[in-house]
Amino acid sequence: MRVRNLVLIFLFSFSLHLFAQENISFQKPPKEILDLVEYERPPGVLMDSDKNYIILTYRSTYKTLDDLNQKELRLGGLRINPDHHISSTITYLNNLKVRKISDKNEIQVKGLPENPRIAYLTWSPDESKIAFTNTGKNGLELWILDIKSATAKKISTQPLNANLGNPITWFHDNQNILVTTVQDNLKLIDPEKELPEGPIVSNSDGSVSQNRTYQDLLKNKTDEHNFEQITTTQIYKVNLNGEVKLFKDKDMYRNISFSPDGKYVMISTIQKPFSYLVPLSRFPSEQTVYTSEGNLVKQVNQLDLAEIMPKGFMAVRQGKRSMYWRSDLPSTLVYVEALDEGDPAKEVEFRDAVYTWKAPFDSAPELLTKTAQRFAGIQWGNENYAILMDQWYDTRSRRTYLLNPSQPGSQPKLISDRNYQDIYSDPGSFETRKNEFGRYVLAIDGTTTYLIGEGYTPEGQFPFIDKLDLKTLKTTRWYQSTYKDKIENIFTITDFKKGTALVRIESATDYPNYYFRNLNRKESITQLTDFKNPFESIKDVHKEVIKYQRKDGVELSGTLYLPAGYDKKEKLPLLIWAYPSEYKDKNSAGQSSHNPNEFTFPYYGSFVYWVTRGYAVLDDAAFPIIGEGDTEPNDTFVEQLIWNAEAAIDAVDKLGYIDRKRVGVGGHSYGAFMTANLLTHSDLFACGIARSGAYNRTLTPFGFQREQRNYWEVPEVYNRMSPFMNAEKMKTPMLLTHGEADNNPGTFTLQTERYFQALKGLGAPVRMVILPKESHGYVAKENILHLLWEQDQFLETYLK
């Protein structure tokens, strides 16, 4: 009795501890977890298209709080460091090495800056050099890496401006570069010191405008001024000797792209008026074509502000959109225009029209084709062959066609018509290679092109390469991986005549490494890299994919981990990590992409660490939400969550591994939303961990995740799905965490704060942890270590 009373006193103290405000310093998780967290990240790999060189890119395993504690402007959907004029969320590289593929040893790049902060690696057209930025004390610098000599040098001291993305664009001659630079006399207003001259006023003219809840929008005139200042740049032409010449004077330049032959350059600019309702991607814009010398050719597009859009995921703005250079011709633009006014609710025969427009644009654009569904892209090949795609979200339909570009207006031939969520029927992606312009186009030999597929089947994953005959549209299999204890991911065909491909092979305990595969002699393989497993301490854990059914017959799966040496006699606590996904049919929902041979890469975003602490872990458990026919998935969201959870627990319990009274559930973002609903509407779990979620759907009234209907159409769905609206039912211990500076649409930090207040006020056992400076995903080592400590303390209390 005394022991029982002590336990009750401890739990009561812990629950009081949860309600109180704490002064707590950053903590570290126990050694078993800490040993896995503190590892050295293996390098990333870049290769030239001819596969002559490997560029090894290195970065720190984590950022630090100091990295996050820099000046930041949040404007128009951007997060900018105003001192360096680059995204404040960017992850820098800190070293580069070069290796000739025929050699075994990499070479340290000489001449790199001290304490490099490298970003925006951009190959020259002939791939002999890479331009990149380095963030120095005085701003963003332009550097060049010569691949052959493995030497880097700074070629310009003019501070670059990467506030809108990559500031580097190579000329076709491989000797000159266009760069966007910080404007002269830039003047930012400090919003903390500037007194407003009047109130903020917005109007509605009665037009229906259903916009989602975006983060970091402009809010006032000061924001407008600062946004214009940080996006206004000058464009300079810089040669490899460092000579600088003004190419275009100040404007809000957003995108620069050369025609394949290098004779023309299309430049996009942001225009006014700005908006307080939508991010910069929907601000007015213009696209203008110039010669490579900077002389005006023609303004080719002008888009108005798109605050008002039709409802639905297939809605698009009116006017010319998706304008870009056709990659198989010297200088021809391609663009799309909606034939349904961008409104998916309109009944029309064709949704989109695709046009081509040849420079110098002194003749009218030419209609190439029309699509019955929304245009989804063209993979260009040559004058006779291209691949056209269209798709429709509501039916999850994607169609692929063979198009003859030399016969504008001709009917394309249907290659496939499939549900794009049906991974077992996925024919793969078309292989490409560089053409005479240095652009990637369909790899075509005569009338044969190639498809590379991931190869998911009911029996497992077996990646493949198919040959597609463009005359008959029939495929023949050239190669298929046969590994049963490994995964062989096929990246590209490196030599079509010799039949070689670049592949990456991994297993549950072998870190992914790159190889050359001889496709004609399957036993012939040459290893390129030899990265070691940085997580040796979990190489002996048990890992398997389990498959099971929920009560309506839908097939489910997940990856089960058991502690190393587990003798299967002890009943373990179980942790389930999941993320719901919407489907339109049970067949697709029941398909599995889990592979037990995938390398086990523990990271803060899963529960895998806790297999070292004596827990069973069901990772990435399938949580499909299905709505067939006229039924929408979310109409029975809560019910289907519970079916999925019941099935997962039953499946592991049936194997004899767990104590089903000690099961915890967790998820991030929409997985956090799932977790809160499961704890609210079921008694299946002893506790839950919900990270960076949204819990009140009335705060996202014009849709969320894959829900297209607004709150006023289906208030019962929004209210039923909102844990906040059902907070009085939630009595299960829950750990809520959130980044202080969440930048994801809809998951404002306020969502967690208000949900916690509701639960606290109603007496629920809940703990809230706000991680300083973090966005939607967590990156600072101090925060990640503390998060893992919090989770471990919580789980040890409520499951152990």
Side-chain angles (χ1 to χ4, degrees), residues 430-449:
F430 286 92
E431 174 67 323
T432 62
R433 59 184 168 196
K434 279 194 169 183
N435 62 10
E436 66 271 28
F437 304 119
R439 302 297 175 94
Y440 284 96
V441 295
L442 284 174
I444 301 174
D445 289 325
T447 60
T448 299
T449 191

Side-chain angles (χ1 to χ4, degrees), residues 562-563 566 570-574 614-616 657-660 662:
L562 300 174
Y566 172 58
E570 178 189 1
K571 298 291 186 180
L572 302 174
L574 172 65
Y615 295 80
Y657 300 151
I658 64 164
D659 175 0
R660 66 179 302 136
R662 293 189 294 154

